[in-house]
Amino acid sequence: MSVVNQPVAATGANGSRFVRSCLRQPVDRTPVWFLRQAGRYMPEYMAVRKHHSLLDICRTPDIAAEVTITAAERLGVDAAIIFADLLLPLTPMGLDFDFVANEGPQIQTPLRTAEQARALRTDRTGDLIYVARGIEKVASYFAARPRTEPNHPVPDTLGIIGFCGAPFTLASYMIEGGSSRNYIETKKLMYASPRQNEGSGAPSFAVSSQRVGSHDADAWSILMDKLITVLADYAAQQVQAGADVIQVFDSWVGALSPSDYRDYILGPTTRLIRSIQSLGVPVIYFGVETSTLLPLMRQTGCDVLGLDWRTPIDRIWRELDYSVAVQGNLDPITLFAPEKVLEARVAEILAAAARRPGHIFNLGHGIVPNTPVDSVLQVVQQIKQS
């Protein structure tokens, strides 16, 4: 297959092991961090949650920084990801949401029409500055504390990760009103729009005005444009505050077929990723259940592809001509396995990556509640000793 022309991300002042791996540069060992490494499995986090809601933590820089720093130091990982939530940008755009017990986020008024899309605000991204303030505190803390290891005496600084949601995943929350199994309303609005990736080679088609009102045929493209504007500004705040890398979470994109991804999502996502890369930082692009989409996701030009545990690293990396770094991909439930089983699965992933520059060890999804902390620490120690 042909190699995608990829924007070159600058290393900046941070030559950390983590950032170098994002850029497929040689490192002394495989870097490791974990999706949702600050979460409900960790007693220190639960102690904070006794006094603060999730949104209170996200919106209070001192507490968000404390939670982020505590998890990174407790685990001894190579990167700290700011504690925040994917849906934070929805509030300044004009869509309020809350977290409902046992149900997750709920959008008070789901978006279903072009009129609603036009009403979304793009001029209030400054309201999200609390995330950048948290990143400033985390970056300042770790910049003053370079670390050495017995087997790797050269000092290394932690990578600082900012993040945002991807256009499709945020749109699906906005349209469905929360989590969904089938994404019916999202796909209805998406299918009603013209293709977003002209020149993809797919046959052209016209939207039927009999099935979808013509006034709503623009809703998807308007929504994509506004999300990209807000998310690019939001990412820029995080980079200016000290984020070395931005991860773009496309948690629900696995609900799409390759054709739908190519026709409606590839274009907008590429625009967002290229905009973030223009800030001089690498971009990690992560989705779940995306094994059939990974070659298309690579076409966005991302620096790193996050893999879930269903995708063998050696096979997909080879199919992609090793033209992108990869992150993953231990099944998070393996952290509940006996010590020897966990050790074997970690070793399998390291062997599949074969010490090729550009592998970042992680899970294939986030750490789940009740995960034994000792199992997470075991993985970190195994990576450091490998």
Side-chain angles (χ1 to χ4, degrees):
M1 62 177 287
S2 61
V3 177
V4 177
N5 289 327
Q6 177 179 349
V8 177
T11 58
N14 188 338
S16 71
R17 178 184 296 119
F18 170 69
V19 172
R20 296 198 306 274
S21 289
C22 289
L23 298 172
R24 290 180 288 139
Q25 296 175 358
V27 293
D28 53 356
R29 67 161 174 81
T30 303
V32 55
W33 71 281
F34 300 96
L35 297 166
R36 215 177 290 145
Q37 63 190 22
R40 288 177 289 171
Y41 76 103
M42 187 169 278
E44 295 90 338
Y45 172 77
M46 293 307 296
V48 175
R49 280 299 306 272
K50 286 182 179 179
H51 305 286
H52 305 280
S53 71
L54 186 150
L55 288 178
D56 285 341
I57 297 173
C58 293
R59 291 168 174 163
T60 309
D62 285 341
I63 305 176
E66 174 192 345
V67 168
T68 302
I69 292 167
T70 299
E73 289 200 317
R74 175 83 169 85
L75 300 177
V77 289
D78 295 297
I81 184 167
I82 188 63
F83 188 92
D85 189 81
L86 288 184
L87 302 189
L88 295 177
L90 271 57
T91 300
M93 293 183 75
L95 281 185
D96 291 326
F97 69 94
D98 289 305
F99 284 92
V100 179
N102 302 317
E103 294 185 23
Q106 297 290 315
I107 310 299
Q108 295 177 11
T109 306
L111 186 150
R112 301 289 169 82
T113 68
E115 181 180 5
Q116 288 176 290
R118 290 189 183 94
L120 293 173
R121 301 281 295 271
T122 61
D123 60 342
R124 294 172 52 197
T125 314
D127 292 357
L128 299 169
I129 197 64
Y130 52 83
V131 175
R133 296 289 179 259
I135 289 175
E136 285 178 349
K137 294 176 182 294
V138 174
S140 176
Y141 180 89
F142 284 116
R145 293 167 174 82
R147 303 177 308 166
T148 59
E149 300 169 12
N151 296 334
H152 307 283
V154 178
D156 187 59
T157 54
L158 248 71
I160 309 299
I161 307 172
F163 73 89
C164 65
F168 175 79
T169 290
L170 287 190
S172 71
Y173 274 113
M174 298 167 85
I175 296 165
E176 301 293 339
S179 300
S180 176
R181 291 179 62 88
N182 299 307
Y183 304 93
I184 293 172
E185 298 300 330
T186 302
K187 291 185 179 183
K188 281 166 58 178
L189 210 64
M190 183 181 76
Y191 290 141
S193 72
R195 286 187 287 115
Q196 300 288 304
N197 191 36
E198 299 299 332
S200 66
S204 61
F205 51 86
V207 175
S208 170
S209 60
Q210 294 179 346
R211 298 189 62 183
V212 181
S214 59
H215 63 288
D216 287 337
D218 294 334
W220 186 260
S221 60
I222 294 170
L223 179 56
M224 291 293 102
D225 287 345
K226 292 198 171 189
L227 279 170
I228 292 166
T229 297
V230 170
L231 295 172
D233 288 348
Y234 180 42
Q237 290 178 357
Q238 297 181 55
V239 172
Q240 291 164 8
D244 302 307
V245 175
I246 297 292
Q247 176 151 316
V248 176
F249 283 89
D250 219 346
S251 307
W252 308 132
V253 75
L256 296 175
S257 69
S259 295
D260 285 344
Y261 183 91
R262 176 197 64 207
D263 290 346
Y264 299 102
I265 304 305
L266 176 58
T269 307
T270 299
R271 286 168 53 200
L272 174 62
I273 288 175
R274 298 299 174 91
S275 177
I276 297 171
Q277 286 174 323
S278 72
L279 302 169
V281 297
V283 174
I284 304 169
Y285 183 26
F286 172 76
V288 180
E289 298 186 2
T290 57
S291 59
T292 60
L293 302 179
L294 290 170
L296 288 165
M297 294 170 69
R298 174 67 192 100
Q299 291 182 29
T300 62
C302 62
D303 299 277
V304 185
L305 270 176
L307 309 177
D308 71 21
W309 66 95
R310 304 168 184 88
T311 305
I313 280 184
D314 49 352
R315 177 180 61 79
I316 191 61
W317 213 358
R318 184 171 58 251
E319 291 175 1
L320 296 171
D321 288 341
Y322 306 104
S323 63
V324 63
V326 293
Q327 178 174 277
N329 65 340
L330 184 71
D331 181 347
I333 308 307
T334 310
L335 293 168
F336 290 88
E339 181 178 331
K340 292 297 183 183
V341 175
L342 177 57
E343 182 180 351
R345 292 295 179 266
V346 171
E348 287 175 5
I349 292 169
L350 292 174
R355 296 187 180 272
R356 186 181 295 274
H359 176 226
I360 300 157
F361 193 97
N362 207 311
L363 304 178
H365 206 339
I367 297 178
V368 303
N370 301 316
T371 294
V373 177
D374 284 346
S375 294
V376 185
L377 292 169
Q378 176 189 327
V379 173
V380 174
Q381 289 306 307
Q382 184 175 349
I383 299 296
K384 290 183 175 181
Q385 293 168 7
S386 63

